[in-house]
Amino acid sequence: MNIHSLLGATAVATLAALPFTSAATAETPDSALVMAYNIDAITTFDPAQIAEVVPDEILMNACDSLVTFDPKDETAFVPGLAESWEVSEDGRQVTFRLKDGIVFPDGTPAKASDLVWSMERVVKLNFGNAAQLTDYGFTADNIADLISAPDDRTVVMKLDKPYPVNLVLASIAANRVAVMLNRAEIEANERNGDLGNTYLQDKTACVGPYTLRQWNPGESILLEANENYNGTAPNLPRVLVRHVAEPGTQRLLLEKGDVDIARNLTAEDLAEVAKQDGIEVVRTLIPSLFYMGMNASRPPFDNPKVRLAMRYLIDYQGLMETVMNGVGVPRASFVQLGAFGALDEKEGQPFKLDIEKAKALLAEGGYPDGFTTTMIIGTQPYSDPIAQSIQQAAAQAGVTMNIERMANAQLYARNRGRDFDTALLGFKTTVPDANGMASRFVLNPDNSPEAKLTQYPSWRVGYQDKEMNRRVEEALFEPDQAKREQMYFDLQRDIMEQGPVAYIMQTMNVAAKRDTLKNWTWNGFRVYYGMASK
């Protein structure tokens, strides 16, 4: 069976086992986008529960949110489910007018009340994504009063405080918490009061350009165009995402023509394929930071001196010339470049490899002879070389660092369970504003283990400083933009000195694609499958 007949078949259970062809260069179907991607982090398609970048990307290509980021300008917003929106003079109410004729994939008319229910559901389930709403004053007790549908095409969102409007749009309206789910379908499949959480583990019951036709965990995902979609139809009616964990295998598939685009190649692979005819490397800087989290609830990382010492064991210069080359830029600040309130490139990266400085700080912290610890890492192509670089530098300072490798899904579970000493991870914010990262890496509303605030990297590393919490809140509501920016500058400088996270780089979305794939479109916040063409 060749790839053309495979994608056209009605039975999709065998999708994952796409064969190689005997031809020197194969071709993918004109009607499909075929992607090689590491998708082992996917555990659900419930927008209330998704927490990782990869499943979010796939979900947001199947589901429309209230508004979306402009593909050409990630600081601007364009219509999604809403064709327009208005903000009250006092900044405490946003009224969204939905597009006419919205229907679910099964043909059922969709109403504003479905969207309101979908947003209430996020808070009631209280998974990590509830923080996207609770950060702005919505709770299980008040959300029904604050978000309402006065008619079938209007959603009114009342705010308890005059939050910056662009933050509300980016954090809520353009986020997965503001997708419209088919309430009737989900309630009909509810189990033991789970509001359809089990049902949505392998389904998308939302309004959007694609629907999830098949997910074979650890193997493949097939999206198919929603025939009842009232927006712009996707150029390619099918998207096949093949789970390929190894960058070398992704490269081989791309070179043979068995996939249109490879998403997880190493810097070395990217440099090599860029020399080949018919293949192009595409990049965009994204608001995602790759970092070493240190569990502040455990010794020795409960000691700020130890945490600072670890920053001097990162060889930023060496990594920039090798592992980061073409896939990221050095970044030690918690605010990504391009965001309001971000320190510039130089001040946002003041550290360099300094073994003697690290030794001195360890001695000040009470560890003159070092210590033994474990670092957990996942399957990102740059995780292993970065871990080894830190391990080698740490050894010179007397720190024995054992490296434990695992699948990304296990890594994330360990991290969310605070079951680690140190971990290499990535985190992507949803807003082009310093508050996006400050509200997750600095702010921690409740550090108790029972709180399980898994959407907060600050909670995951067991870090809470009430004075820092106050400063984050103060900066959020400062009306003078120059003062607000300075507050974020000061926060970044202080956190770099004593925080429990050592930031390593700001990453890029990098891919290698065949030149038969046209109009691949992405920015820092979204990837737009539907705009791709052949």
Side-chain angles (χ1 to χ4, degrees), residues 267 316 319-330 386 504-505:
Y316 286 96
L319 292 171
M320 179 179 67
E321 295 170 357
T322 54
V323 181
M324 293 185 200
N325 187 20
V327 299
V329 296
I386 290 177
I504 299 170
M505 69 172 171

Side-chain angles (χ1 to χ4, degrees), residues 208-269:
Y210 288 104
T211 58
L212 177 63
R213 174 69 181 275
Q214 181 81 19
W215 172 41
N216 296 326
E219 296 179 350
S220 64
I221 287 172
L222 177 65
L223 301 178
E224 287 193 340
N226 172 11
E227 295 180 357
N228 289 314
Y229 185 53
N230 72 327
T232 302
N235 290 320
L236 298 174
R238 294 182 183 87
V239 177
L240 175 65
V241 185
R242 296 185 57 180
H243 171 58
V244 184
E246 293 296 324
T249 306
Q250 288 195 15
R251 175 179 168 180
L252 180 61
L253 289 168
L254 181 73
E255 290 173 336
K256 289 176 66 68
D258 287 330
V259 299
D260 299 308
I261 188 164
R263 297 291 300 278
N264 302 108
L265 300 188
T266 65
E268 201 172 67
D269 286 328

Side-chain angles (χ1 to χ4, degrees), residues 3-4 21 23 25-30 256-258 260 516 534:
I3 193 171
H4 298 262
T21 117
T25 302
E27 289 185 5
T28 57
D30 291 339
K256 289 176 66 68
D258 287 330
D260 299 308
T516 50
K534 292 183 176 179

Side-chain angles (χ1 to χ4, degrees), residues 171-472:
S171 297
I172 299 177
N175 190 272
R176 54 189 172 266
V177 301
V179 303
M180 183 186 286
L181 298 176
N182 188 332
R183 179 178 183 177
E185 177 183 348
I186 291 171
E187 288 187 331
N189 291 278
E190 188 174 355
R191 297 184 188 176
N192 301 318
D194 72 348
L195 295 176
N197 176 248
T198 304
Y199 182 70
L200 289 175
Q201 181 178 342
D202 58 358
K203 298 176 186 65
T204 53
C206 58
V207 173
Y210 288 104
T211 58
L212 177 63
R213 174 69 181 275
Q214 181 81 19
W215 172 41
N216 296 326
E219 296 179 350
S220 64
I221 287 172
L222 177 65
L223 301 178
E224 287 193 340
N226 172 11
E227 295 180 357
N228 289 314
Y229 185 53
N230 72 327
T232 302
N235 290 320
L236 298 174
R238 294 182 183 87
V239 177
L240 175 65
V241 185
R242 296 185 57 180
H243 171 58
V244 184
E246 293 296 324
T249 306
Q250 288 195 15
R251 175 179 168 180
L252 180 61
L253 289 168
L254 181 73
E255 290 173 336
K256 289 176 66 68
D258 287 330
V259 299
D260 299 308
I261 188 164
R263 297 291 300 278
N264 302 108
L265 300 188
T266 65
E268 201 172 67
D269 286 328
L270 290 164
E272 289 301 315
V273 298
K275 301 173 185 176
Q276 301 181 28
D277 292 338
I279 296 178
E280 175 189 4
V281 174
V282 290
R283 294 180 172 88
T284 184
L285 191 66
I286 60 175
S288 178
L289 297 174
F290 191 71
Y291 65 90
M292 176 173 63
M294 296 169 275
N295 194 339
S297 66
R298 297 181 179 181
F301 300 111
D302 56 348
N303 189 315
K305 292 291 185 181
V306 172
R307 301 196 297 252
L308 183 57
M310 298 302 291
R311 288 171 163 81
Y312 287 98
L313 298 176
I314 300 171
D315 184 6
Y316 286 96
Q317 183 64 33
L319 292 171
M320 179 179 67
E321 295 170 357
T322 54
V323 181
M324 293 185 200
N325 187 20
V327 299
V329 296
R331 187 71 176 162
S333 166
F334 69 80
V335 181
Q336 77 276 13
L337 291 167
F340 172 84
L343 290 171
D344 63 25
E345 289 185 41
K346 183 178 180 180
E347 194 172 359
Q349 206 306 89
F351 300 104
K352 64 179 181 179
L353 179 64
D354 191 333
I355 302 298
E356 294 308 313
K357 178 74 170 176
K359 285 181 176 179
L361 286 165
L362 289 173
E364 289 178 35
Y367 294 89
D369 299 321
F371 55 88
T372 298
T373 189
T374 298
M375 173 183 284
I376 61 173
I377 68 172
T379 57
Q380 297 95 334
Y382 37 76
S383 290
D384 197 71
I386 290 177
Q388 291 183 42
S389 174
I390 297 172
Q391 181 188 51
Q392 291 164 10
Q396 297 178 59
V399 174
T400 299
M401 179 172 283
N402 300 310
I403 299 172
E404 188 178 346
R405 299 169 181 84
M406 60 195 66
N408 286 337
Q410 184 183 359
L411 173 73
Y412 300 146
R414 290 274 299 273
N415 181 235
R416 290 192 291 267
R418 289 180 170 177
D419 181 19
F420 68 99
D421 294 335
T422 69
L424 286 185
L425 296 142
F427 185 89
K428 182 180 178 183
T429 184
T430 60
V431 297
D433 186 287
N435 182 72
M437 290 296 196
S439 64
R440 290 294 178 269
F441 279 100
V442 183
L443 181 73
N444 182 353
D446 185 347
N447 197 41
S448 65
E450 338 33 280
K452 296 189 181 301
L453 300 182
T454 57
Q455 198 71 355
Y456 290 82
S458 54
W459 182 89
R460 297 176 197 167
V461 295
Y463 172 78
Q464 185 186 52
D465 184 316
K466 293 184 178 179
E467 173 60 17
M468 289 294 183
N469 282 356
R470 184 196 64 77
R471 289 171 63 180
V472 172

